[in-house]
């Protein structure tokens, strides 16, 4: 968490250095991983509003949503650049920050996320002061899936996010403690992974991120390596895990 804290502050400094102004939107097109968690806090700390783009939507929908939101910057995984290229012509982001998830070089026409953070001096990071907010200011936003019509933007305020975190972490709901291990399979790009990343940070909970590796066998392997005390996902995820586990018992006894 100390490393995450430094990197999150460095992201905020970098965004302000790019000219981000209070209330402007910074979109994310990312899987569940540590950089996405940095965005959850670094973007609002810089004064911006995090707008998570649902990578399951069609490119035309993503372009229309980004244009409707007026997103100024984009943080994107390099493994999702092919998707980004499909809607890049529908909305022009001023800057595109690429997280080199795969380890491959970042295209020359885009910004390297790690290089931007690395260019922030320790002194600038240490001196950073988060942008002031009213409790009713927006902290993040997410668009509906548009099942029955055009997708609509839903804005979360700082107040609603704090209240949701406090209520959600009561004993009869998540009830997380700092000894817990949380695996959010529910996407951070839609409904903020049900708000659990905020509670995890508040309680200092260990987070195990699956990234793009969401096949049942991959999740079972990860659970074997880093056993979670709480994992979040829709029923189809768990049905797939049960089926994979039962197959594994027959085909590869002892794997899990």
């Amino acid at each position: 968490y100390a490393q995450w804290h430094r990197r999150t502050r460095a992201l905020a400094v970098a965004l302000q250095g790019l000219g981000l102004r209070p209330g402007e939107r910074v979109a994310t097109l990312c899987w569940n991983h540590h950089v996405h968690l940095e965005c959850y806090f670094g973007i609002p700390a810089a004064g911006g509003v995090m707008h998570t783009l649902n990578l399951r939507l069609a490119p035309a929908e993503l372009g229309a949503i980004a244009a409707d939101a007026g997103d100024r910057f984009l943080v994107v995984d390099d493994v999702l650049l092919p998707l980004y290229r499909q809607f890049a012509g529908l909305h022009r982001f001023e800057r595109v920050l690429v997280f080199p998830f795969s380890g491959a070089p970042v295209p020359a026409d885009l910004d390297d996320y790690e290089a931007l953070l690395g260019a922030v001096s320790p002194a600038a990071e240490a001196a950073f002061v988060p942008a002031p907010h009213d409790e009713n200011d927006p902290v993040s936003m997410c668009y509906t899936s548009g099942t029955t019509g055009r997708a609509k933007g839903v804005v979360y305020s700082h107040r609603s996010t704090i209240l949701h975190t406090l209520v959600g972490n009561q004993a009869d709901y998540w009830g997380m403690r700092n000894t817990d291990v949380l695996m959010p399979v529910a996407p951070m790009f839609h409904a903020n992974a049900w708000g659990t990343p905020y509670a995890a940070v508040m309680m200092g909970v260990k987070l195990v991120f699956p990234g793009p590796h969401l096949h049942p066998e991959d999740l079972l392997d990860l659970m074997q390596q880093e056993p979670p005390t709480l994992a979040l996902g829709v029923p189809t995820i768990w049905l797939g895990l049960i089926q994979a586990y039962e197959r594994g018992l027959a085909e590869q006894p002892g794997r899990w």
Side-chain angles (χ1 to χ4, degrees):
Y1 270 111
Q3 182 183 14
W4 169 84
H5 182 250
R6 289 190 297 270
R7 286 175 55 88
T8 298
R9 290 165 63 90
L11 171 60
V13 172
L15 289 173
Q16 289 185 343
L18 294 177
L20 182 68
R21 295 183 292 269
E24 292 183 330
R25 276 70 64 203
V26 178
T28 63
L29 189 64
C30 300
W31 291 102
N32 290 13
H33 49 55
H34 71 280
V35 164
H36 213 169
L37 188 67
E38 291 164 9
C39 292
Y40 265 57
F41 289 82
I43 292 170
V49 180
M50 180 186 68
H51 174 204
T52 55
L53 292 174
N54 187 338
L55 57 87
R56 303 292 191 192
L57 298 180
E61 293 176 296
L62 289 169
I65 285 171
D68 186 69
D71 295 330
R72 190 174 175 195
F73 303 142
L74 171 69
V75 179
V76 57
D77 293 349
D78 63 353
V79 295
L80 293 172
L81 282 176
L83 175 59
Y84 159 69
R85 299 287 191 193
Q86 292 182 65
F87 68 87
L90 300 176
H91 174 70
R92 181 184 175 275
F93 297 96
E94 289 184 35
R95 304 291 285 266
V96 177
L97 287 55
V98 180
F99 168 47
F101 185 94
S102 70
V106 172
D109 61 325
L110 304 176
D111 293 297
D112 186 322
Y113 180 94
E114 292 296 335
L116 279 172
L117 264 61
V120 176
S121 69
E125 179 269 309
F128 171 73
V129 177
H133 289 283
D134 181 84
E135 66 177 2
N136 295 311
D137 286 345
V139 64
S140 64
M141 61 187 298
C142 171
Y143 275 67
T144 65
S145 57
T147 306
T148 58
R150 200 178 281 267
K152 301 172 181 64
V154 178
V155 178
Y156 303 90
S157 69
H158 284 260
R159 176 183 174 83
S160 70
T161 299
I162 288 291
L163 291 177
H164 183 264
T165 302
L166 293 173
V167 172
N169 208 39
Q170 294 297 304
D172 288 335
Y173 205 60
W174 303 321
M176 283 188 276
R177 299 171 296 176
N178 66 357
T179 53
D180 278 315
V181 179
L182 171 67
M183 178 184 289
V185 182
M188 294 172 70
F189 55 76
H190 188 66
N192 296 339
W194 307 342
T196 52
Y198 299 110
V201 171
M202 182 178 74
M203 299 304 298
V205 169
K206 178 179 177 178
L207 282 154
V208 177
F209 291 119
H213 308 293
L214 300 179
H215 289 109
E217 291 79 7
D218 294 329
L219 290 174
L220 287 168
D221 285 341
L222 183 57
M223 289 178 170
Q224 184 82 353
Q225 297 168 22
E226 300 287 348
T229 58
L230 175 62
L232 304 172
V234 296
T236 51
I237 291 289
W238 308 128
L239 289 173
L241 256 67
I242 292 170
Q243 292 166 359
Y245 180 76
E246 291 175 344
R247 278 197 311 272
L249 288 178
E251 299 170 3
Q252 294 177 276
R255 179 178 177 181
W256 297 305

